[in-house]
Amino acid sequence: MGGNVIITPKQRITSKTPLHSERSVILQKGFSICQIPTPFFALEMDPNPKSYPLLSYVMSRLPSIGPSKLASAPDSDPGFDLEQPPPVPNPSSPSSSTNPPQIVDQMPYLSHPNVLASMAHSVSDVAQTRSVLQTLGPRPDHEVVDMARSKLGEIEAGLSKSLEELVLSPRPVDVDRLEWRSHLADKEQQIRQQAEKEKSIYKSILQLDEMHEAYGKLLREAEDRLVKIYEKAGKVAENTEVVEEVNAEVVGVLEEAQGRGLERVDLSGKKLRFLPEAFGKISGLVLLNLSSNQLEVIPDSIAGLEKLEELNLSSNLLESLPDSIGLLQNLKILDVSGNKLNALPDTICHCRSLIELDVSFNSLSYLPTNLGNELGNLQRLSFHLNKIRSLPTSVGEMRSLRFLDAHFNELCGLPDEIGRLTNLEILNLSSNFTDLRELPDTIGELTNLKELDLSNNQIQALPDTFGRLDKLTKLNLEQNPIVIPPLEIVNQGVEAVKTFMAKRWLDILVEEERKCMQEVNEQAQTGWLTRSTSWLKNYASVVSERVSSYLGAAEGSPRDPYLDEPR
């Protein structure tokens, strides 16, 4: 190639572009010929109506595109041009009866203005990308792309060879070394610039191909979005009559609340999809049952139900609870089981009057950290069928708790603080499967425990303190690799297990007492020997000093003056 080649919008090559007899195309006057097989480009900017029926229909309704740009056509027709499609037949015209049914006949909700508007908004990115690609040109044929890659490789190889020859070229004798280096640098720059000019056209082809590849992915994603929008529209349309009836019933409840003070409202199983904000104004409400509906959100205005004591939101589609739920200071019973909750708001800890809390059958992975510190009055806590792996240590502060159901979770253990629940009567830890392998020794401090279910876990040994559970009357250890107590003891029932574990605990205490006394005796004996040895060492030291002094005097040391005194 001998120059810079650029494809401009005016140079778009179509099926009517004259081709060289050798299938070459002159891309720009003054430059050499590129061997490009026919067809140069494939016309794939518009979505194929057979592959993307919804997207094709919606885009044909966009003002910027219009129905004249999009229509269905057989894939087998190689001469079909999406830029000039056949006219869309009118379903109401007599001639249309012989044509295949239109997409609106098969998908009637497309005729709803709101549905179409929602769909049009969701494909705005497709329309914008299509407009850009119309300016740049259709997608290159795969043979053209392969040719472009090959040409780029040839140019790169030629560039490497030219640079190698340049580096190895000898310096003329009459040329200064620094001047020669400057000449080589300039020459290298010229060679590289020339190569970039030659590569530019082929790079443009590859970039255009990549853009069309990304556009194809965009079309697939847009069609999926439209399918989901249509499915949702169908569900809404199917429930329109039900929703209207429910709305009327809800309005009736609100009107009745204005006339007189309502204390109890039961709207369970009414297929409610939303709860009006006005419900928060029924200040005298004591009980509100919204179970078995289709609620996705609870309004913040629920905080206005100052006297509410019981709230049932079970079996809905809730993914979260409003933070304002913490303002229900008189709430005693809260049931949010059977929803899609991923977490509980921390403010739920402010509902200090709660006696019963059921958050089972959700997607919870943890409980609020301060749950136990704040809910000291809680008597029943159910969070089975979740994904909880551990309990907060604050659970030990729930001194009023009598019932705790944690089965079907992912519990790896219990905190030592569990032993503080001295009023607990029923504890279900079953079906934590491979995660639950042991219990803390503090389990023996649950002196009021009556029922304990540990089935379907991986517990091998009960804690040594287990024998202290005097009030335990029901125990399920099925589907555990239990070793302590032995299986034959387990099969005899809960009393046999308690007796075995109590005796085991007593034996452990006796053994510890024996070891303790042995250590005391050893310490006492060791202490007497130490004291005796110390006294002997001190005595020997004094005697040694005296003997040494005496011997020293006998061997010529200075005499004592007393000995020289006259008698």
Side-chain angles (χ1 to χ4, degrees):
M1 295 294 290
N4 190 13
V5 184
I6 301 175
I7 295 180
T8 65
K10 299 298 182 182
Q11 294 171 311
R12 291 175 55 200
I13 297 176
T14 66
S15 58
K16 299 179 181 180
T17 303
L19 299 176
H20 190 271
S21 58
E22 298 177 356
R23 290 190 176 184
S24 62
V25 177
I26 301 177
L27 298 179
Q28 185 168 328
K29 184 177 180 181
F31 299 99
S32 59
I33 297 174
C34 297
Q35 298 295 327
I36 302 178
T38 303
F40 182 19
F41 290 112
L43 299 175
E44 296 180 353
M45 284 182 294
D46 295 320
N48 188 307
K50 288 191 174 182
S51 301
Y52 309 104
L54 279 173
L55 181 59
S56 178
Y57 175 81
V58 173
M59 291 187 67
S60 71
R61 271 32 184 193
L62 294 178
S64 60
I65 299 176
S68 64
K69 297 292 181 71
L70 296 169
S72 60
D75 292 340
S76 59
D77 184 3
F80 173 71
D81 189 350
L82 284 172
E83 296 293 339
Q84 298 293 333
V88 180
N90 185 354
S92 61
S93 64
S95 61
S96 66
S97 60
T98 59
N99 296 330
Q102 299 300 305
I103 189 172
V104 178
D105 297 334
Q106 301 173 354
M107 307 178 77
Y109 303 127
L110 288 177
S111 60
H112 294 197
N114 292 339
V115 176
L116 186 59
S118 177
M119 288 184 167
H121 178 73
S122 72
V123 299
S124 60
D125 54 344
V126 177
Q128 293 172 3
T129 306
R130 178 185 181 276
S131 177
V132 172
L133 289 179
Q134 279 186 319
T135 302
L136 296 177
R139 184 172 186 172
D141 183 82
H142 69 90
E143 294 184 26
V144 176
V145 175
D146 292 342
M147 179 273 298
R149 291 195 179 99
S150 177
K151 289 293 183 182
L152 284 174
E154 293 176 5
I155 295 172
E156 287 290 345
L159 175 61
S160 298
K161 184 176 180 181
S162 298
L163 293 177
E164 182 180 358
E165 293 175 352
L166 179 63
V167 172
L168 297 177
S169 60
R171 175 176 60 86
V173 180
D174 57 342
V175 177
D176 181 68
R177 184 182 298 276
L178 294 178
E179 183 180 352
W180 177 248
R181 288 182 179 177
S182 177
H183 167 75
L184 292 179
D186 293 340
K187 189 66 176 176
E188 179 184 354
Q189 185 177 4
Q190 292 175 9
I191 293 174
R192 291 186 182 277
Q193 289 177 350
Q194 183 66 23
E196 286 300 321
K197 289 179 181 180
E198 294 177 359
K199 289 192 295 184
S200 61
I201 177 61
Y202 304 113
K203 285 185 176 180
S204 299
I205 292 174
L206 295 182
Q207 289 173 356
L208 185 58
D209 182 66
E210 291 174 358
M211 292 181 66
H212 276 276
E213 179 68 25
Y215 180 61
K217 181 180 179 181
L218 191 64
L219 293 181
R220 294 189 292 271
E221 293 174 349
E223 182 73 13
D224 292 339
R225 289 199 303 270
L226 293 180
V227 169
K228 292 179 180 179
I229 291 175
Y230 185 84
E231 290 176 349
K232 186 173 182 179
K235 292 179 181 179
V236 172
E238 292 172 358
N239 293 330
T240 298
E241 296 181 359
V242 176
V243 171
E244 289 178 353
E245 292 176 1
V246 169
N247 286 342
E249 187 170 349
V250 170
V251 170
V253 170
L254 295 175
E255 290 177 351
E256 184 180 356
Q258 293 178 356
R260 61 183 182 86
L262 277 181
E263 291 187 355
R264 304 174 67 88
V265 171
D266 188 349
L267 291 173
S268 61
K270 304 297 183 181
K271 296 186 178 180
L272 279 176
R273 298 181 65 87
F274 69 95
L275 189 67
E277 295 276 350
F279 257 85
K281 297 181 180 179
I282 312 179
S283 57
L285 203 60
V286 176
L287 180 148
L288 177 58
N289 188 352
L290 298 171
S291 63
S292 302
N293 282 293
Q294 300 173 18
L295 297 173
E296 297 182 0
V297 176
I298 299 298
D300 287 328
S301 62
I302 197 172
L305 306 179
E306 299 176 352
K307 297 182 180 180
L308 192 65
E309 296 182 1
E310 183 174 346
L311 176 59
N312 191 340
L313 299 174
S314 63
S315 301
N316 277 282
L317 304 174
L318 300 175
E319 295 184 0
S320 63
L321 296 176
D323 288 335
S324 60
I325 199 169
L327 297 176
L328 301 178
Q329 297 293 312
N330 290 305
L331 192 63
K332 296 181 179 179
I333 300 175
L334 175 59
D335 188 349
V336 292
S337 60
N339 282 282
K340 300 180 179 180
L341 300 176
N342 293 315
L344 297 176
D346 290 336
T347 55
I348 201 172
C349 301
H350 299 161
C351 301
R352 296 182 178 88
S353 297
L354 272 179
I355 296 176
E356 296 183 16
L357 176 60
D358 190 345
V359 295
S360 57
F361 210 168
N362 281 283
S363 298
L364 301 175
S365 57
Y366 65 93
L367 295 176
T369 302
N370 291 322
L371 192 68
N373 294 332
E374 303 290 342
L375 302 185
N377 295 317
L378 199 64
Q379 296 181 13
R380 294 179 63 90
L381 174 59
S382 300
F383 56 89
H384 54 278
L385 287 163
N386 279 283
K387 301 176 182 179
I388 296 175
R389 297 189 60 81
S390 62
L391 296 182
T393 56
S394 65
V395 71
E397 302 302 321
M398 295 181 179
R399 304 300 174 84
S400 301
L401 200 64
R402 298 179 182 275
F403 177 92
L404 177 59
D405 190 349
H407 79 272
F408 261 110
N409 277 279
E410 299 175 5
L411 288 175
C412 297
L414 298 177
D416 290 337
E417 288 78 6
I418 196 76
R420 299 179 183 177
L421 305 181
T422 52
N423 286 312
L424 192 64
E425 297 178 356
I426 299 175
L427 176 58
N428 190 344
L429 299 173
S430 66
S431 301
N432 281 275
F433 302 106
T434 59
D435 299 295
L436 189 58
R437 297 178 176 275
E438 61 181 1
L439 299 175
D441 286 335
T442 54
I443 202 80
E445 299 174 14
L446 303 179
T447 51
N448 282 301
L449 193 63
K450 297 178 181 178
E451 298 181 16
L452 177 60
D453 193 343
L454 297 173
S455 59
N456 291 296
N457 290 301
Q458 289 296 310
I459 297 174
Q460 297 185 19
L462 295 178
D464 294 329
T465 58
F466 197 86
R468 298 173 59 186
L469 302 178
D470 295 332
K471 295 185 179 181
L472 191 66
T473 56
K474 290 185 179 180
L475 175 64
N476 190 347
L477 291 172
E478 294 179 359
Q479 301 300 319
N480 278 282
I482 197 75
V483 176
I484 300 176
L487 190 58
E488 57 270 19
I489 299 296
V490 174
N491 293 335
Q492 295 177 23
V494 59
E495 292 299 329
V497 171
K498 288 165 54 178
T499 301
F500 178 89
M501 296 305 297
K503 184 177 183 302
R504 175 182 171 84
W505 177 241
L506 181 61
D507 291 342
I508 290 173
L509 291 179
V510 170
E511 179 63 18
E512 289 183 353
E513 180 67 17
R514 186 189 66 79
K515 290 181 180 180
C516 182
M517 291 300 297
Q518 183 178 354
E519 290 178 0
V520 170
N521 292 335
E522 289 176 353
Q523 290 177 0
Q525 184 176 4
T526 302
W528 178 84
L529 290 174
T530 301
R531 289 193 299 272
S532 301
T533 303
S534 176
W535 177 82
L536 288 173
K537 286 182 179 179
N538 292 334
Y539 179 78
S541 175
V542 173
V543 172
S544 176
E545 289 178 359
R546 291 179 179 179
V547 170
S548 297
S549 176
Y550 174 78
L551 291 176
E555 293 176 358
S557 58
R559 289 174 61 85
D560 191 332
Y562 174 78
L563 297 175
D564 296 330
E565 290 181 2
R567 295 292 187 269

